[in-house]
Amino acid sequence: MLLIALAMALAALGTPAFATSPRTGTPPGARPTAVNASAADASLPCDIYAAGGTPCVTAHATTRALFAAYNGPLYQIQRSSDHSYRDIGVLAAGGYADAASQVSFCAGTSCTITKIYDQTAKHNDLPISWGGYWKGPGPNGADVGADAMALPVTAAGHQVFGVKVTPGVGYRIDHANGVATGSQPEGIYMVTSSNYTNQWCCFDYGSGENSHTDTGNATMNAIYWGNACWFNGCTGSGPWVEADLENGMFHTNTGSNKDPNNQGVHYPFVSAWLKNNGTSNFTLKYGNGAGGGLTTTFSGPLPNGYSPMKVDSSVLLGTGGDNSPNGVGEFFEGAMTAGYPSDATENAVQAGITAAGYGTGSGGGGTTGALHAVGAGRCLEVPGGSTTPGTQTQIRDCTGAANQFWSQSASHELTVSVGGSRLCLDASGQGTSPGTKVITWTCNGQSNQQWTLNANGTITSAPSGLCLDVTGAATANGTPVQLWTCNGQTNQKWSLN
């Protein structure tokens, strides 16, 4: 009912969205032309924000349109073989990314995301950042673009690609059009993941300084997502949604997190939220991007020395305000608003996110990628890339190496290719009791090499129904993996992407 009410409000407002034909094969050219969205269209995030009176001033996504009438480019890629460009658009107005165009364009070579288009009429496109006080790894201290093929996921069953921000990746537009400045109110959301985080500065999305230097407290207003704990200790190990307001990532107005119910957020897809009225309140929320509502972790006064805000008009993704380039994370979509969104509006946007149907895997019939241990924030691997059958698997920091790259076959095997050998994940000795070692073995088609990837994040062995389990709920590198009775704990939750 809320979505319907907001749709009716949108019809009354006559809110603009955008339509154009996708562009391919060229660097940036013509931009989308405004059209009017009907009431029936008010189901995507920026339509909902507009219906709530807080329209989007940025709308960035590599996975889908954020307006129901948007039919333009989502992002631009460049391939290394001949340095040519292609714009990746949507399959239909208001739809999902045309990932097949990217796959064909990048076949046999590598591709980089060089720009993320803004879907609003503000044209706040995000090119690769020129750097800043902290230098990036690119030419003359610039940042670099993300590997376009590094983050395959699905949305409503369609193959799409996210932005995998590794250290040095950053996107930014300075003097952005229509965004909040000074103490003007602002709302921000993004869809990210618990699969790939660290504690360093700064995996951000939001407002920063046009100078790309630290110009003092309150000159930023950005979502930080990661494991940073800057002030007086934290409960749990993260990752958390925090506010990067410059010179600190804030869990609360005092900076610290003492809430026993906020020990960290562990979902393959996370919606992260920040809103700031500029003078007296900021609010942090999170949600499961695959279903459910929002949880507010803090809503209260701004930190001492941060009222009024002095926000500048640079929009950034992947780095800090001074271009601090060491954060990591995954980005699928996000938007910034003019004005302070209501809780009802944010709840409706969250419903629109969960309706997008985000899922792990490549969407092409098989599922491939790193197998992330959600509770530990590490990846399942074959130790040392061993080709010896019987090697017990373990968890370790995610590296993207071949010994951490798994594929699920049509026969429900989980396979890894190391040293020229294809091996299967195997319940040792065809074991069916808790504590059975999980090893690699020559693929043989037996049932102890068949695994079910369940919707709740567990992976179960076909013969026993036992769960793939990080032993002792430990989080350290080198912790072995076994079978254990399913118990719902995070050391039995996995994400393959």
Side-chain angles (χ1 to χ4, degrees), residues 259-284:
D259 184 353
N261 297 315
N262 187 23
Q263 299 195 24
V265 182
H266 300 288
Y267 300 121
F269 298 95
V270 176
S271 62
W273 308 74
L274 165 65
K275 57 184 175 183
N276 188 333
N277 72 3
T279 57
S280 62
N281 176 275
F282 77 105
T283 296
L284 297 168

Side-chain angles (χ1 to χ4, degrees), residues 251-253 275 277 280-285 295-302 340 343 346:
H251 294 258
T252 63
N253 63 310
K275 57 184 175 183
N277 72 3
S280 62
N281 176 275
F282 77 105
T283 296
L284 297 168
K285 302 179 182 180
T295 298
T296 300
T297 59
F298 178 78
S299 184
L302 288 160
Y340 188 85
D343 289 340
E346 290 177 325

Side-chain angles (χ1 to χ4, degrees), residues 258-350:
K258 304 295 186 182
D259 184 353
N261 297 315
N262 187 23
Q263 299 195 24
V265 182
H266 300 288
Y267 300 121
F269 298 95
V270 176
S271 62
W273 308 74
L274 165 65
K275 57 184 175 183
N276 188 333
N277 72 3
T279 57
S280 62
N281 176 275
F282 77 105
T283 296
L284 297 168
K285 302 179 182 180
Y286 72 85
N288 183 345
L294 296 176
T295 298
T296 300
T297 59
F298 178 78
S299 184
L302 288 160
N304 289 336
Y306 286 76
S307 178
M309 295 292 293
K310 308 174 185 67
V311 174
D312 212 348
S313 58
S314 182
V315 175
L316 53 86
L317 170 63
T319 64
D322 57 4
N323 201 58
S324 299
N326 295 316
V328 304
E330 298 178 355
F331 177 87
F332 304 101
E333 64 178 73
M336 299 164 59
T337 71
Y340 188 85
S342 69
D343 289 340
T345 297
E346 290 177 325
N347 289 340
V349 174
Q350 168 68 6

Side-chain angles (χ1 to χ4, degrees), residues 20-78:
T20 188
S21 297
R23 295 176 285 119
T24 61
T26 61
R31 289 307 313 266
T33 303
V35 298
N36 288 325
S38 69
D41 289 334
S43 58
L44 294 185
C46 286
D47 299 319
I48 296 168
Y49 273 125
T54 51
C56 291
V57 291
T58 74
H60 299 114
T62 59
T63 56
R64 64 172 182 149
L66 300 182
F67 291 90
Y70 187 77
N71 196 26
L74 299 178
Y75 59 104
Q76 179 193 76
I77 58 177
Q78 183 182 32

